Amino acid sequence: SVATSSRLDSIRSVYGVSVSRNLIKIEASDSDPSSSVFDMNGFISNSNYIAKKTTMVLFINDRLVECSALKRALEIVYAATLPKASKPFVYMSIVLPPEHIDVNVHPTKREVSLLNQEIIVDKIQMAVESKLRSSDEAKIFHEQVIFMADDIFALLQHSTHLYLANVVNLSKELMHQQVLRRFAHFNAIQLSDPAPLPELIMLALKEEDLDPESNENDGLKAKIAEMNTELLKEKAEMLEEYFCIYIDSYGN
């Protein structure tokens, strides 16, 4: 695009008149250090724009990036207000403190994560919803019941808010948080007869055998069991502190 052209002219040059003539200007910002600090402006498609695929052009601090959480939030807003077949066109430029951006989410550094991301995404989502509803184009919007829940997504209600949650990601995060909460605070079970580590390791190694009764490679397995027993004995102090697993000097 021409360097001196406006953003709308640039969009027209790259994506065509059919896109540029159906855009609404959007702005949002926050300057509260306790919640979020950002400044966003851009263009979003109106109800006359029809597409089967979402197009999101996102610049953060003048760098072209992706933010899946923001994209998903905006798709939900459009799904609730526009005809089912329509997907939005979104151009956004967000400026925020450089230290509030994590570019190490993806190896290519294309996908980013933001400090206070939930708050920022929520504020932008509300701004987009408000703009769509208050614009002249909103007069032709049709409310509709959206059955979005499936095997992966579930609808959760909290107070007067309805949330679409990814159950898979939510479960992973829940397990992660539970492990962190229980870390170094596990309940211990004391065995009346301590279990010898070499025998436990041998059982695990034999579990992989097609024929559990076979004695093939028992010598190698015994060596592996011996080496791992010594390793675990060396790490006994850490295992006891972190996981409440007590190993005595005899390898029990």
Side-chain angles (χ1 to χ4, degrees):
S1 61
V2 181
T4 56
S5 64
S6 68
R7 285 179 177 173
L8 198 55
D9 288 335
S10 297
I11 292 172
R12 185 182 297 110
S13 298
V14 178
Y15 293 97
V17 177
S18 60
V19 173
S20 62
R21 70 184 176 194
N22 289 311
L23 297 180
I24 313 167
K25 190 172 177 58
I26 184 77
E27 294 178 337
S29 62
D30 193 9
S31 57
D32 183 0
S34 65
S35 60
S36 62
V37 178
F38 75 96
D39 185 56
M40 179 278 290
N41 64 77
F43 297 93
I44 57 174
S45 56
N46 60 27
S47 61
N48 298 320
Y49 176 79
I50 302 296
K52 294 182 179 179
K53 181 181 176 183
T54 299
T55 300
M56 183 163 184
V57 184
L58 174 63
F59 286 90
I60 295 183
N61 291 358
D62 294 326
R63 183 172 172 225
L64 184 65
V65 294
E66 294 176 1
C67 180
S68 54
L70 178 58
K71 181 180 179 181
R72 183 64 187 163
L74 297 181
E75 285 178 330
I76 290 171
V77 170
Y78 274 85
T81 42
L82 293 183
K84 194 171 185 180
S86 180
K87 297 290 185 178
F89 176 94
V90 178
Y91 167 89
M92 281 187 182
S93 175
I94 303 175
V95 178
L96 67 168
E99 63 271 18
H100 290 189
I101 308 170
D102 182 4
V103 297
N104 296 313
V105 177
H106 192 273
T108 64
K109 300 187 184 298
R110 183 78 189 271
E111 175 84 17
V112 298
S113 182
L114 311 176
L115 184 68
N116 299 319
Q117 180 167 283
E118 275 189 31
I119 298 173
I120 294 173
V121 168
D122 192 47
K123 287 182 182 294
I124 292 175
Q125 186 184 40
M126 288 191 294
V128 169
E129 183 177 9
S130 176
K131 176 63 73 171
L132 289 175
R133 293 187 183 281
S134 63
S135 67
D136 291 337
E137 290 82 5
K139 294 175 183 176
I140 59 172
F141 284 9
H142 302 284
E143 290 291 337
Q144 56 181 322
V145 177
I146 304 294
F147 298 100
M148 294 174 288
D150 56 22
D151 291 342
I152 296 176
F153 293 98
L155 287 171
L156 307 176
Q157 181 179 349
H158 173 68
S159 186
T160 58
H161 296 280
L162 197 62
Y163 298 94
L164 186 66
N166 185 313
V167 178
V168 176
N169 291 343
L170 194 64
S171 299
K172 289 179 181 177
E173 184 62 26
L174 175 62
M175 293 303 107
H176 180 68
Q177 293 298 331
Q178 285 187 339
V179 168
L180 290 180
R181 283 178 64 88
R182 295 175 59 195
F183 192 67
H185 295 90
F186 293 98
N187 294 326
I189 300 173
Q190 185 169 356
L191 303 179
S192 55
D193 295 316
L197 276 176
E199 293 184 24
L200 294 177
I201 296 172
M202 284 293 287
L203 285 172
L205 293 171
K206 282 182 174 291
E207 188 75 23
E208 301 294 321
D209 290 342
L210 295 176
D211 180 9
E213 302 300 322
S214 173
N215 295 323
E216 187 180 355
N217 295 325
D218 272 8
L220 177 61
K221 290 172 184 172
K223 186 64 177 176
I224 294 173
E226 181 185 343
M227 291 172 61
N228 281 281
T229 298
E230 292 303 314
L231 176 63
L232 291 172
K233 283 166 63 177
E234 290 175 15
K235 306 293 183 184
E237 186 178 352
M238 180 192 72
L239 290 170
E240 182 176 11
E241 180 183 352
Y242 287 4
F243 304 107
C244 296
I245 298 174
Y246 175 73
I247 298 172
D248 64 21
S249 57
Y250 303 103
N252 299 309

